[in-house]
Amino acid sequence: MIAKRKQVFNLMDTNGRRNDVINAIQTYLSILNEIQTEKHWNWDCVPKSAAQFEFYKQAVESSPDVFKKHGNYDSFITELDKKENWKFKNALETNHFSEIKKESGKYKNLLEFIDLGIEDRARHYTSNLVKIGFADEKRNISESGKTLLYPAMIEKDELEKILPLDSANIVYLRQLLKLKIFDSAKETFYAPFILAIYILLKKERFSENEFLEIIQGFSPYSKIDDIENYIDSYKEGDVVDSFESEIPAELKNDYKLEKSVFSKYFKNQKSSTTTDIYFTFYSLLFDFSKTVSEQSFEKLLAYYKSEKDILKKAFGKGKEIFKATGLVSFENGYAELAFKDICNCIFDIDDLKRNFIGKIENQTVCESYDKYEIGMESYFCSVKTVSEILNYDGQKISQKINQIKTIYNETDIENILDIVAEKRNEEFKKFIFEKYPVQKVKDILALFADRTNDNKIKEAVNPDANVPTIFEYIVGIAWFYFSGCRINLLKSFNLTLSANFEPLMHAGGGHGDIVIYEKDKVVMLEVTLMNANSQKRGEWEPVLRHSANLKIEEESNGLKRDVTTFFIADEFDYNTINIWKAVSSVSLQSSNDKSKFTSNVIIMPVSTGELSVLIGKADKYDEIIGSVRTLFENSRIDFDINWRKKFISQII
């Protein structure tokens, strides 16, 4: 990434006014992957390719809770459906534009409209994938990007295995450690995450604002003689002094600016409506500064909440990308390093100090900007482990591991992994008890039935996550209480969490949403916010496949644990749940190994309302799960269409 002098680099863009940046990256990468691997369409604009249009179309469809307004797209689709435009519509669907090229004059307006109102947004939305090295400039998915799509590809090195991070956390950690911001000459670089770790290793705690100011205020043009003294003495706002800027005369006054004056200096190139939002916020802020009162504050706060996504992008500092690593914790206004005792061993503070800024020609991995960052074969786009990025040889890795063994007074690294994991699990349980007491979990569960509650849900849990991810997270916590708080929920999740245990995104990988392993049984939870009509299309096959594969896996490993799947949703498709009940008596084939089969696959639907009641029946957890198995085993011949209703009435 190249930054101009006096420019504050933009590490992550909100990409469509969405604040769930990490979910957006995962979603956009998946869409791009489908376009490239299934459709085999090159990333270009119409009439060369329909790829950019197709990307935007799928982005809108995949996140209806985010893209609630898309006027340009809707207008274009209306035009496309007109009889005279059938050739253009067919060309978009088939990616064949020979006829359109011949009649380009006829379709001039459509070509201009699609480029400026739709395809430009597709290019913009995918820019984060390029910035973080998951794709090159031509939007070809890099090897690093593929590891995020397919977590099973990841091979952790010896140091990465010690950190209690999931695969997605590791992918982001690797990419941020590699990230460099270059000057215009492409000679000097600044590595923001290297500096971030250095700061958080050097100081026990750091003000969140000060931390983000330093990280985003630094640049490849920065000249700091004594970084230690600079960090030790830094005060919030100091970074502003390092930027030489002249305030326009029109802004140097003590009265409220006219809108016409404000709009000259505070612009949004994509939307005049957004500039209006900026001005309203400025006006309310000005009023509050002149008349500090509860009334003026409430007005300011209410408006900020109503336009939070846009205002955070314009005036916020952005920390979501740091959370993706699972290594940096933001809590109570402070930034801290998670697992600091391990990090103190893994990272060499003197190496970090030497390498957060420097000349690319002096680097051992690449001697030029182009080789470091440009193209699929570049260092940035390739897969490198933490040890490789830090340039550790075998001897250095052994030294680091021995340091960790000394700290934990253990000679076996496997014992250390267990100790670290158990400590993390205990911290998570404490977090649940403090932030999500039983009644709060029930209250949040009740909100999912009405999608107009989405903002309330995000505010209650994590504004940076999407609602389906939050639903999975809350269902897991509800089940934790139903189990009598005995299950290892942290290990059971297929979610990527922040260092503060906030849900960030679903990790994917073709597995069930939540898989709980105990000595005598395995319970899998499959959760969905899809309504009854959508379930038969979106959930019927994957839930059945995951359930069969899990049971076959257990049997193949010679384990005698009972396997039971629970399907959690607000409502159910009648045919789907009865089909699941019926197929429990037939043989099913593994999708991973066609030579393996199983029978009596149990999938029990439980609604969110019913789950809320089950929270209070922890003393009957084993009994209820056992009764589910008995229900399926005893009714293989005589099928009662009211089976679910009768059973639920017995246990609730």
Side-chain angles (χ1 to χ4, degrees):
M1 188 189 309
I2 297 174
K4 297 177 182 177
R5 190 178 292 275
K6 299 181 183 179
Q7 174 190 357
V8 176
F9 70 89
N10 180 13
L11 183 56
M12 285 286 112
D13 198 299
T14 55
N15 284 173
R17 300 303 173 194
R18 60 190 303 170
N19 52 11
D20 60 330
V21 174
I22 306 305
N23 265 298
I25 287 176
Q26 185 84 11
T27 301
Y28 296 163
L29 202 59
S30 298
I31 295 172
L32 203 57
N33 185 55
E34 180 189 334
I35 292 172
Q36 291 177 3
T37 61
E38 296 182 20
K39 296 182 180 294
H40 303 288
W41 294 358
N42 292 326
W43 183 259
D44 216 327
C45 55
V46 175
K48 295 179 181 178
S49 172
Q52 294 178 10
F53 170 80
E54 179 66 19
F55 178 89
Y56 183 78
K57 174 175 172 284
Q58 289 195 37
V60 169
E61 291 173 351
S62 67
S63 305
D65 54 327
V66 174
F67 297 103
K68 296 175 182 177
K69 296 179 181 179
H70 30 75
N72 288 342
Y73 175 74
D74 294 340
S75 298
F76 180 78
I77 295 300
T78 300
E79 286 296 313
L80 209 59
D81 286 336
K82 291 181 178 179
K83 186 177 180 180
E84 63 267 26
N85 293 325
W86 71 269
K87 283 186 180 180
F88 200 98
K89 183 177 182 179
N90 183 64
L92 280 175
E93 293 173 350
T94 62
N95 199 38
H96 294 299
F97 293 97
S98 56
E99 292 296 315
I100 304 303
K101 290 177 181 177
K102 291 177 184 177
E103 304 178 71
S104 58
K106 177 182 176 181
Y107 298 110
K108 181 181 178 182
N109 289 339
L110 283 177
L111 289 169
E112 290 179 353
F113 194 0
I114 194 174
D115 181 54
L116 295 177
I118 296 171
E119 291 174 324
D120 60 336
R121 297 187 181 187
R123 296 189 290 269
H124 175 59
Y125 294 172
T126 52
S127 63
N128 279 349
L129 303 181
V130 180
K131 287 181 179 180
I132 200 65
F134 292 147
D136 66 8
E137 290 286 348
K138 296 178 181 178
R139 303 314 193 259
N140 297 306
I141 297 176
S142 69
E143 290 302 310
S144 291
K146 289 175 184 175
T147 60
L148 191 63
L149 281 174
Y150 308 108
M153 292 175 57
I154 296 175
E155 295 184 11
K156 295 181 181 180
D157 68 22
E158 293 179 77
L159 297 179
E160 291 171 338
K161 288 176 183 176
I162 299 172
L163 289 166
L165 303 174
D166 74 5
S167 295
N169 290 140
I170 292 294
V171 172
Y172 277 102
L173 175 60
R174 290 173 176 180
Q175 290 308 108
L176 287 182
L177 283 172
K178 289 190 288 181
L179 178 70
K180 297 186 189 305
I181 313 297
F182 288 87
D183 65 358
S184 298
K186 304 177 184 177
E187 296 173 350
T188 304
F189 68 83
Y190 160 52
F193 198 68
I194 296 292
L195 179 60
I197 296 177
Y198 172 78
I199 290 173
L200 297 179
L201 280 177
K202 191 173 186 303
K203 298 194 73 168
E204 192 65 31
R205 303 176 89 201
F206 214 85
S207 157
E208 181 182 311
N209 287 344
E210 291 174 350
F211 171 75
L212 292 171
E213 281 182 4
I214 291 176
I215 300 304
Q216 292 193 277
F218 255 86
S219 79
Y221 306 96
S222 297
K223 304 291 183 185
I224 302 294
D225 295 327
D226 188 345
I227 186 64
E228 290 187 52
N229 181 61
Y230 181 80
I231 291 171
D232 285 337
S233 60
Y234 187 85
K235 299 186 297 297
E236 187 172 342
D238 282 355
V239 73
V240 178
D241 298 334
S242 65
F243 289 91
E244 297 177 7
S245 58
E246 179 63 30
I247 299 175
E250 290 179 286
L251 302 182
K252 292 181 178 179
N253 54 62
D254 196 35
Y255 54 82
K256 188 185 294 187
L257 299 176
E258 294 291 331
K259 187 176 180 180
S260 58
V261 175
F262 180 91
S263 301
K264 284 171 60 178
Y265 300 101
F266 300 92
K267 303 175 182 178
N268 184 283
Q269 296 177 347
K270 301 182 184 69
S271 172
S272 59
T273 302
T274 302
T275 303
D276 293 341
I277 293 171
Y278 295 167
F279 180 71
T280 303
F281 181 69
Y282 155 75
S283 298
L284 291 170
L285 191 61
F286 184 91
D287 292 344
F288 174 69
S289 68
K290 294 300 180 183
T291 308
V292 179
S293 67
E294 185 175 343
Q295 184 180 16
S296 61
F297 176 73
E298 288 297 331
K299 284 184 178 180
L300 177 64
L301 184 62
Y303 190 75
Y304 171 75
K305 286 182 177 180
S306 68
E307 302 292 350
K308 188 174 182 179
D309 290 353
I310 291 175
L311 293 171
K312 273 185 71 176
K313 166 61 180 169
F315 304 105
K317 298 183 180 70
K319 59 191 177 187
E320 289 78 10
I321 194 64
F322 289 102
K323 289 183 179 181
T325 66
L327 210 60
V328 181
S329 166
F330 294 97
E331 193 168 19
N332 301 322
Y334 288 92
E336 297 179 82
L337 204 58
F339 331 117
K340 193 163 186 177
D341 51 351
I342 297 176
C343 289
N344 265 315
C345 296
I346 291 178
F347 298 102
D348 189 311
I349 195 164
D350 291 328
D351 284 348
L352 297 175
K353 181 181 177 181
R354 283 192 295 268
N355 292 306
F356 81 90
I357 197 164
K359 296 283 187 181
I360 188 64
E361 63 184 19
N362 297 330
Q363 294 292 292
T364 56
V365 293
C366 288
E367 68 278 9
S368 70
Y369 164 79
D370 287 351
K371 289 184 178 180
Y372 191 87
E373 191 164 283
I374 301 299
M376 294 290 283
E377 303 302 318
S378 68
Y379 186 86
F380 192 43
C381 286
S382 60
V383 175
K384 303 292 180 185
T385 67
V386 167
S387 296
E388 290 173 321
I389 297 164
L390 297 175
N391 201 26
Y392 291 169
D393 58 19
Q395 183 179 357
K396 189 79 173 267
I397 293 171
S398 296
Q399 290 174 352
K400 299 292 181 183
I401 291 175
N402 287 334
Q403 285 180 309
I404 294 171
K405 287 179 178 179
T406 300
I407 287 176
Y408 284 91
N409 196 26
E410 284 280 352
T411 56
D412 190 340
I413 201 69
E414 293 299 324
N415 290 341
I416 295 175
L417 298 183
D418 291 339
I419 292 169
V420 172
E422 182 56 32
K423 180 183 177 184
R424 185 71 171 157
N425 184 49
E426 289 300 316
E427 290 172 350
F428 185 42
K429 288 167 70 172
K430 181 182 178 183
F431 168 82
I432 291 174
F433 295 144
E434 291 177 354
K435 185 167 182 180
Y436 296 103
V438 168
Q439 190 55 52
K440 183 176 181 180
V441 173
K442 290 183 176 182
D443 292 342
I444 296 174
L445 273 178
L447 295 174
F448 290 102
D450 184 353
R451 293 307 299 269
T452 63
N453 290 326
D454 282 5
N455 286 336
K456 289 182 182 177
I457 292 168
K458 295 180 78 165
E459 287 297 323
V461 182
N462 181 20
D464 301 328
N466 65 21
V467 175
T469 298
I470 293 174
F471 182 56
E472 186 176 327
Y473 181 73
I474 294 298
V475 164
I477 294 175
W479 200 271
F480 170 76
Y481 280 120
F482 173 37
S483 75
C485 307
R486 80 184 196 206
I487 63 172
N488 188 327
L489 181 58
L490 190 62
K491 189 177 180 180
S492 305
F493 269 140
N494 194 26
L495 290 174
T496 293
L497 306 181
S498 72
N500 300 92
F501 301 112
E502 299 165 318
L504 295 175
M505 66 178 184
H506 182 78
H511 304 294
D513 294 331
I514 302 169
V515 184
I516 304 160
Y517 292 94
E518 295 189 86
K519 288 183 179 179
D520 62 334
K521 60 178 169 289
V522 180
V523 172
M524 180 164 70
L525 308 182
E526 292 277 26
V527 308
T528 187
L529 282 175
M530 287 186 179
N531 60 33
N533 291 329
S534 301
Q535 284 173 15
K536 52 181 169 282
R537 181 182 72 251
E539 297 291 348
W540 189 93
E541 188 278 332
V543 170
L544 190 62
R545 171 165 43 86
H546 293 163
S547 301
N549 286 347
L550 178 61
K551 191 167 187 292
I552 290 170
E553 180 185 333
E554 283 288 299
E555 292 167 352
S556 298
N557 291 330
L559 301 171
K560 300 184 183 299
R561 294 182 290 197
D562 293 329
V563 179
T564 311
T565 296
F566 289 85
F567 180 66
I568 316 293
D570 191 63
E571 58 180 2
F572 302 111
D573 172 59
Y574 180 81
N575 290 339
T576 298
I577 64 173
N578 280 326
I579 289 171
W580 281 339
K581 180 66 166 59
V583 298
S584 66
S585 60
V586 302
S587 181
L588 296 174
Q589 184 184 50
S590 168
S591 65
N592 298 323
D593 185 343
K594 302 300 182 184
S595 68
K596 296 180 179 178
F597 297 83
T598 192
S599 58
N600 197 26
V601 172
I602 297 173
I603 304 173
M604 180 66 195
V606 174
S607 72
T608 49
E610 292 159 358
L611 176 59
S612 188
V613 176
L614 287 174
I615 290 175
K617 296 184 177 291
D619 60 326
K620 296 184 178 180
Y621 179 71
D622 293 316
E623 180 184 333
I624 289 173
I625 292 176
S627 64
V628 168
R629 300 193 59 78
T630 301
L631 167 71
F632 276 71
E633 290 169 356
N634 292 345
S635 57
R636 297 183 190 178
I637 300 175
D638 299 323
F639 193 91
D640 184 349
I641 62 172
N642 293 313
W643 67 274
R644 203 192 84 85
K645 183 184 292 184
K646 289 181 179 179
F647 179 76
I648 290 295
S649 66
Q650 294 172 12
I651 65 171
I652 296 286

